[in-house]
Amino acid sequence: MSRGWANYSVGDFTLEASWDIEPGQVTALFGQSGAGKSTTLRIIAGLVQPMAGYIEIGSRVVFDGNGGVFVPAHRRRTGYLTQQFHLFPHLRVGANIAYGLADGRSAAGQARVQLLLRTLQLEGLEDRYPWELSGGQQQRVALARAMAPAPAMLLLDEPFNSLDAELRRVLRSELRTMVVQSGIPTMLVTHDREEALAMADWVQVIDEGRVISEGEPLDVLGQPGRGRVARLVGVENQFDLVIESHNPKDGTMICMGEGIRLEVPLDQEGASPEFGTAPRVPIESDAARINGDSLRRVTVGIRASDIILSSRDLQGSSARNRLQGVVSGVEAHPPGYTVSLDCGRTLQCHITGAAMAEMSIKPGQELWAVFKASSCFLIQD
Amino acid sequence: MGSSAGIVYLIFIGVPLVALLVSAVRQGDFLGSLSGDFALTALRLSVVTSAVSMVFVVLVGTPFAYLLARSRSTLLRVVDSLIELPIVLPPVVAGVAMLMAFGRQGVIGPALENAGIALPFTTAAVVFAQVFVAAPFYIRASRIGFQGVNTEYEDISQTLGVSPIRSFFRLTLPLAGPSILAGLGLAWARAFSEFGATMMFAGNLTGKTQTMPLAIMTAMEGSLGEALALSVLLLAGAVLVLVSLGMATRRRWTGHL
């Protein structure tokens, strides 16, 4: 287990971090660069000293601002992976992996290196120099090097950033498997939503040094209910609409605006599940909702991957929203495509390469966008 | 245009060097001149004093260069820009300055004399003069070498359980090694060829302060043959330094840092 909190500030920037990670679990820090994610990792690793805090790694206290405890980085037993791998260029692969082993040259040390080479599919590469490896191999060596001294916690700082999309997915699942099997608590820094969804058990959205939302990955990153989180996560479709009518019986309401009409969930409490930890946004009472004007305007979000494209109207389906439109653009969005559909407003829809080929989607084509009411969510500022 | 300029330059540099070799051969008895007491004594003194100088330069210069490379303090920025002053300062001025410090009429010379230490015109003064003029070459090159080693490497080394001091020896020093060796080569060459400051501060005493450059100067007044032989020896030494620098500073991983 690994948990703690830390406050740190430099200039105008203030960081307030806290975390609690179970063995074999991955917590992702999600946010833009400069949000304080990497600094949090460096604080845990002991490379940056916080102004205040308390840090436990594997139930050992490594920092206690009140108790005057500061365990230096080289005694904290963390495995730290960076975006550029930083393999030591003067050492061959085998020596890189053995670097952190106290007995790297002994039989036991060499056996450990061999085991890691096998586990990470690096056999036969131990006498290569780092620059003689592909990017994926370099990251595997960096991971093997970090794992060799049996770290009590893994700190991953955008470890897949400099790799191509396909390799990322492969390494992601390998790393995920390794974390679960080894039972090492892991903190992952990323600004890639897909990566956080694929790897994390828990997500913290960090903005300007503060956690503005946290929870299960799908709850936090799927339908982010707050404007700031939605912007950071990158909700592809956001529409400013006006509430036309409420259907409390169905738990939905109808929203209109500039050419589109959507059936969306009622704007009640619980529309955004991460409110539990983030500061609550005041929600007006029912009376205010009926009488006042303040709530008649809403922002509705729809994820591009929640929209089904169909060449004809899907009458008789359970989906509450069916919009007809004209394809205005197609863009590659690995592994699939993003289709822009002009339905009065432009809808961004993600589809797979296979779907793209089967439907032979081209600009100018007429299509229907179909999605459930529950795929729509309200974004509050 | 560039190539004709280059040819002019190469002729300019090449003619004197070739002339030196030709004259030395014409004088004959090259080995005889070198194996004389006069030449051997100067050679031995130059080798010993420059070696001792380099030990000081490395022991003090290495940690200082590392500090300069890593520190962000304004004070050290200023120090950093002044570190190369001895490179541009005329060596004779350096010699005068050292006399004014450690000489009999110097600022701290009398105090040293009271303590039984007399520096000027001793072999120690030769070392002082060499360190003074040569150290900046080493410190500058080492600092650049250390700056080329990304601190992320050192961070990772520490997270792998290796203390900062051991990280320095296992990681930073090898990675900065080519630059450091280049600096050491230049500093050594500079110390070996030191003339002006040595002349001023240490004098020209055979067997005590008369290093090779001073011996050449002295020989020029008497036996040209010896002067030529010593000059050719120094020229050969310089070429050797240049070649070994090229070899010592090339690594398989050069360019991959």
Side-chain angles (χ1 to χ4, degrees):
Chain A
M1 198 185 69
S2 182
R3 62 189 175 131
W5 63 273
N7 290 346
Y8 176 77
S9 65
V10 55
D12 290 341
F13 178 77
T14 309
L15 173 70
E16 291 170 15
S18 67
W19 61 94
D20 191 338
I21 311 172
E22 297 291 320
Q25 302 261 297
V26 178
T27 288
L29 305 185
F30 182 91
Q32 291 173 326
S33 52
K37 309 183 303 285
S38 297
T39 306
T40 305
L41 287 196
R42 296 176 61 81
I43 285 172
I44 297 174
L47 300 168
V48 168
Q49 185 160 0
M51 279 70 201
Y54 177 88
I55 302 172
E56 266 182 33
I57 296 176
S59 53
R60 185 167 68 113
V61 181
V62 296
F63 180 74
D64 186 350
N66 291 329
V69 179
F70 181 86
V71 176
H74 65 279
R75 295 212 191 89
R76 288 202 182 184
R77 296 186 53 224
T78 58
Y80 179 44
L81 238 60
T82 57
Q83 202 180 119
Q84 290 91 12
F85 323 132
H86 289 108
L87 295 179
F88 304 140
H90 62 308
L91 299 177
R92 292 168 198 269
V93 166
N96 259 287
I97 297 174
Y99 187 88
L101 294 171
D103 57 347
R105 290 213 186 86
S106 71
Q110 281 308 305
R112 174 97 182 128
V113 171
Q114 289 302 324
L115 175 70
L116 284 160
L117 285 167
R118 266 202 308 284
T119 315
L120 286 156
Q121 300 154 48
L122 292 165
E123 285 151 307
L125 299 179
E126 63 240 65
D127 289 330
R128 298 262 187 101
Y129 278 94
W131 71 89
E132 297 171 321
L133 304 175
S134 69
Q137 288 168 337
Q138 286 187 43
Q139 188 55 297
R140 284 200 177 96
V141 174
L143 179 60
R145 181 179 64 180
M147 293 297 284
M153 183 175 185
L154 274 180
L155 304 168
L156 314 176
D157 195 352
E158 312 225 15
F160 309 118
N161 246 21
S162 44
L163 304 173
D164 62 63
E166 205 173 318
L167 195 54
R168 274 187 212 191
R169 268 186 287 282
V170 175
L171 280 175
R172 235 178 245 159
S173 71
E174 281 178 16
L175 186 51
R176 169 87 208 163
T177 310
M178 189 166 233
V179 167
V180 171
Q181 282 176 355
S182 61
I184 302 176
T186 298
M187 190 178 271
L188 167 75
V189 158
T190 183
H191 64 256
D192 179 343
R193 182 175 157 264
E194 198 192 333
E195 187 164 297
L197 285 171
M199 289 217 36
D201 300 286
W202 192 259
V203 172
Q204 292 187 339
V205 180
I206 314 270
D207 188 33
E208 290 175 359
R210 280 182 183 77
V211 178
I212 58 170
S213 169
E214 71 176 307
E216 307 264 338
L218 269 176
D219 292 341
V220 175
L221 302 175
Q223 300 194 340
R226 294 182 59 209
R228 213 141 59 111
V229 180
R231 269 193 297 280
L232 284 174
V233 170
V235 173
E236 298 85 353
N237 299 298
Q238 297 188 36
F239 301 119
D240 291 321
L241 303 174
V242 177
I243 298 172
E244 192 205 55
S245 63
H246 292 90
N247 302 325
K249 214 165 52 169
D250 293 343
T252 62
M253 57 188 188
I254 307 294
C255 301
M256 304 270 296
E258 290 173 44
I260 59 171
R261 178 178 183 279
L262 297 177
E263 188 164 344
V264 309
L266 272 179
D267 56 339
Q268 280 171 346
E269 296 190 38
S272 32
E274 68 271 33
F275 273 8
T277 49
R280 284 180 61 107
V281 171
I283 293 177
E284 282 88 336
S285 67
D286 279 1
R289 187 197 300 156
I290 293 159
N291 302 325
D293 288 328
S294 63
L295 262 184
R296 294 191 47 198
R297 303 195 64 84
V298 289
T299 301
V300 176
I302 310 147
R303 306 294 322 211
S305 51
D306 287 340
I307 298 172
I308 295 169
L309 286 179
S310 165
S311 50
R312 55 193 169 82
D313 186 9
L314 281 181
Q315 280 178 344
S317 84
S318 66
R320 298 306 300 159
N321 293 298
R322 306 196 306 275
L323 306 176
Q324 193 178 19
V326 177
V327 176
S328 60
V330 179
E331 218 178 293
H333 180 85
Y337 292 86
T338 300
V339 175
S340 302
L341 193 66
D342 186 358
C343 322
R345 301 276 194 98
T346 302
L347 264 183
Q348 308 278 338
C349 321
H350 286 168
I351 60 169
T352 62
M356 178 81 188
E358 272 173 31
M359 297 174 67
S360 59
I361 294 174
K362 282 186 276 303
Q365 194 173 348
E366 288 208 346
L367 289 176
W368 288 81
V370 183
F371 46 97
K372 300 166 73 156
S374 61
S375 293
C376 305
F377 52 96
L378 301 178
I379 298 170
Q380 336 219 345
D381 284 313
Chain B
M1 180 68 188
S3 59
S4 27
I7 288 166
V8 169
Y9 176 72
L10 288 180
I11 290 172
F12 177 72
I13 296 294
V15 167
L17 293 181
V18 172
L20 176 63
L21 289 174
V22 170
S23 314
V25 170
R26 270 206 205 133
Q27 284 287 331
D29 200 20
F30 181 74
L31 287 176
S33 304
L34 278 186
S35 57
D37 252 4
F38 177 75
L40 276 183
T41 310
L43 177 62
R44 198 184 307 122
L45 187 71
S46 269
V47 168
V48 170
T49 51
S50 64
V52 171
S53 297
M54 286 310 108
V55 170
F56 279 115
V57 166
V58 168
L59 285 183
V60 178
T62 312
F64 188 39
Y66 186 74
L67 179 73
L68 289 175
R70 291 288 182 255
S71 170
R72 288 185 199 136
S73 89
T74 326
L75 178 65
L76 278 172
R77 285 275 156 279
V78 176
V79 172
D80 194 35
S81 59
L82 289 178
I83 217 93
E84 290 165 21
L85 185 62
I87 294 180
V88 289
L89 189 73
V92 178
V93 177
V96 173
M98 293 178 102
L99 264 184
M100 289 309 110
F102 307 114
R104 203 165 273 186
Q105 277 114 47
V107 177
I108 58 173
L112 287 175
E113 203 166 342
N114 283 341
I117 304 168
L119 277 176
F121 311 109
T122 63
T123 307
V126 176
V127 172
F128 267 55
Q130 289 177 353
V131 169
F132 192 95
V133 299
F137 288 93
Y138 178 78
I139 294 173
R140 181 174 63 174
S142 306
R143 190 209 64 205
I144 292 170
F146 287 136
Q147 276 171 341
V149 181
N150 195 323
T151 52
E152 289 262 13
Y153 285 116
E154 293 169 344
D155 290 345
I156 285 176
S157 175
Q158 288 180 46
T159 64
L160 290 167
V162 179
S163 71
I165 288 180
R166 284 172 51 93
S167 296
F168 177 81
F169 284 106
R170 287 181 64 185
L171 187 72
T172 315
L173 201 55
L175 289 181
S179 292
I180 293 176
L181 281 179
L184 186 62
L186 285 177
W188 200 318
R190 181 67 189 84
F192 217 85
S193 63
E194 204 334 272
F195 181 85
T198 313
M199 192 73 175
M200 267 295 156
F201 185 47
N204 187 7
L205 310 170
T206 308
K208 207 170 161 196
T209 69
Q210 192 182 66
T211 54
M212 295 255 289
L214 295 164
I216 291 172
M217 229 267 302
T218 308
M220 282 300 282
E221 288 160 7
S223 87
L224 183 62
E226 267 179 330
L228 286 175
L230 284 172
S231 297
V232 168
L233 188 66
L234 279 187
L235 175 62
V239 171
L240 197 72
V241 166
L242 215 55
V243 171
S244 51
L245 265 186
M247 294 200 306
T249 57
R250 200 178 308 123
R251 291 286 184 281
R252 290 196 61 176
W253 42 269
T254 302
H256 296 282
L257 194 61

